[in-house]
Amino acid sequence: MLWAMEYYTMNADEIGTELVFLKTGATKPYRFYDEQLREVQEMIPREFAMMNASYEYGDFPARPSQRECLSCKFAEVCSERKM
Ligand code: SF4
């Protein structure tokens, strides 16, 4: 929505958004309100900075938990996994 508003120089109320379920073709329209969009606009640079900061971490210690490890895609090769 934010991208479309900037690219097409349109207001939020002029742009339609919808979630499309590819298997069924069903759609679910979404409406975004100004306050939501402002929150997302503020969140993007903050989250981006946090993601970039992760490059400076020395390592990523494992944090095993039964719930997470059960569905983890790395469980087969992880020495820390909880079963
Ligand atoms: S299996 Fe390893 S990497 Fe996956 S959640 Fe558990 S501790 Fe983390």
Side-chain angles (χ1 to χ4, degrees):
M1 176 64 93
L2 291 169
W3 175 84
M5 288 170 63
E6 187 170 322
Y7 188 81
Y8 295 110
T9 57
M10 296 174 84
N11 295 318
D13 58 356
E14 299 173 293
I15 301 169
T17 59
E18 61 186 18
L19 178 63
V20 178
F21 297 89
L22 297 177
K23 279 190 177 173
T24 63
T27 61
K28 181 179 180 183
Y30 276 96
R31 179 154 176 71
F32 291 90
Y33 296 96
D34 289 340
E35 188 175 332
Q36 286 175 296
L37 292 172
R38 271 193 298 278
E39 285 174 16
V40 172
Q41 204 155 21
E42 289 169 13
M43 181 188 72
I44 291 171
R46 193 175 55 236
E47 300 265 324
F48 185 73
M50 285 169 55
M51 284 190 288
N52 272 348
S54 69
Y55 287 113
E56 295 165 14
Y57 295 167
D59 61 7
F60 294 91
R63 291 185 303 189
S65 82
Q66 205 152 23
R67 197 177 120 242
E68 295 297 326
C69 295
L70 267 177
S71 59
C72 178
K73 293 185 178 0
F74 303 100
E76 261 184 53
V77 295
C78 179
S79 60
E80 303 288 328
R81 77 174 181 261
K82 269 192 172 172
M83 295 305 256

